[in-house]
Amino acid sequence: MQLTITKADQLKSKPDDSKLGFGTTFTDHMFNMDYNLEKGWHNPRIESYGSIDLDPSTMMLHYGQGVFEGLKAYKTGSGAVQLFRPKDNFKRLNRSSRSMCIPEVDEAFGLHALKQLITIEKDWVPSAPETSLYIRPTIIATDPFLGVRASHTYRFFIILSPVGAYYAEGFNPVKIWVTKDHVRAVRGGIGEAKTPGNYAASLFAGEDANKKGYAQVLWLDGVEQKYVEEVGSMNIFFVINDELITPMLNGSILPGITRDSVISLAKIWNVKIAERQISIDEVMDANDSGKLSEIFGSGTAAVISPVGELKYGDRVISIGDGKVGPMANKFYKAITDIQYGKAEDPKGWIEPVS
Ligand SMILES: *Cc1c(COP(=O)(O)O)cnc(C)c1O
């Protein structure tokens, strides 16, 4: 497939690197590609960033048939731009697509197009400490049709957004609410797909937790509401008796790339690691017997998000005296050092752009 590149007539002024937030500013160009039954995926193009003209009956808007990804490009000390495990994002995009009846894209071509796009937008990759260029590949169902079935046409697009340091106010632990009233996903459902519906399903509980002064929701399984699944839109890790424990992938948990990176590094470091079911009761018991030393979330946006307080029913427990634990610190530093090219990449995770 031939990628067409049409440069924007006018370029926007770039924001100040030190004042970036998350997801508010977008670059000059975007990638677009279309799908129909006759041609399959076709017309891949890089063009001006701009709105997409959609009929009000567009299927995505009504039935949520869509998938997305989230990854980042990082600028190293020498000014090079690099990606962290992008092949895994394209692989997961296709995996999500399969569960949503969306046609798969050519992963190698997708990565090629992304690298081209980033090369064109190289000056948009911020260089202030811990800033990055956030990348959002998305596929939406575009048939103008109100019947319920899989769409016959799709749009795949990639947009880029320079983002600020996640921990601009310091690497501090957050307070977490364990919800018993809501579930995010169920086994047999679409929990393991990165699809908008899972985010819609998480909003009510998230807002509720925020109102009560908690940053995120800890999700229990959707069947028995007994086993821990995820925290907010991150995977979750516990340190109990010096062993790292994370819920095993069971169909309703999103297979995070950061989760996998933590597990891989733990293995390299000979840290005991278990992927298994862990009940909320086991977590509370471990706390009561003094064996629970850390809890942290993992995801692309925050990398590692330490948990300092957990509320479950009438109980509020403080983890590690509300301070960031050594494991959370070690994983955060190791992963970000690899991403910014400050440390050796032990697993071939880095993909240079330019
Ligand atoms: C994206 C996502 C994660 C984290 O995945 P990463 O690949 O580590 O960014 C975890 N949980 C949910 C629900 C997600 O959507």
Side-chain angles (χ1 to χ4, degrees), residues 182-230:
H182 307 275
V183 297
R184 189 192 80 94
V186 293
R187 288 196 281 290
I190 51 171
E192 66 182 358
K194 222 168 168 69
T195 187
N198 288 329
Y199 280 70
S202 74
L203 294 178
F204 191 92
E207 297 275 312
D208 202 32
N210 291 162
K211 272 184 222 144
K212 290 166 178 148
Y214 288 79
Q216 304 269 6
V217 170
L218 187 148
W219 301 102
L220 298 177
D221 77 277
V223 180
E224 295 174 78
Q225 286 186 260
K226 187 173 166 191
Y227 299 101
V228 174
E229 298 235 309
E230 296 199 51

Side-chain angles (χ1 to χ4, degrees), residues 84-85 235-239 244-246 256-275 294 296-300 302-305 327-328 330-336 338-339 347 349:
F84 182 70
R85 308 189 65 175
N235 295 112
I236 190 165
F237 287 84
F238 300 89
V239 182
L244 204 53
I245 302 166
T246 191
I257 293 164
T258 319
R259 173 188 182 277
D260 187 72
S261 304
V262 169
I263 293 170
S264 299
L265 288 175
K267 287 179 180 164
I268 292 173
W269 298 340
N270 286 320
V271 170
K272 260 170 77 189
I273 163 88
E275 292 178 70
E294 290 185 49
F296 56 87
S298 73
T300 295
V303 186
I304 298 293
S305 179
M327 287 268 205
K330 194 171 172 192
F331 284 111
Y332 180 76
K333 183 160 185 347
I335 295 172
T336 53
I338 295 169
Q339 290 169 335
K347 302 274 287 185
W349 286 336

Side-chain angles (χ1 to χ4, degrees), residues 86-96 98 107:
K87 290 183 179 127
D88 293 300
N89 291 93
F90 281 99
K91 200 181 287 171
R92 187 172 65 189
L93 182 75
N94 273 340
R95 197 172 147 185
S96 298
R98 285 196 293 276
E107 293 169 20

Side-chain angles (χ1 to χ4, degrees), residues 308-328:
E309 184 182 311
L310 200 76
K311 178 170 166 60
Y312 177 53
D314 298 331
R315 296 198 56 197
V316 176
I317 63 169
S318 163
I319 301 110
D321 299 324
K323 295 198 188 73
V324 179
M327 287 268 205

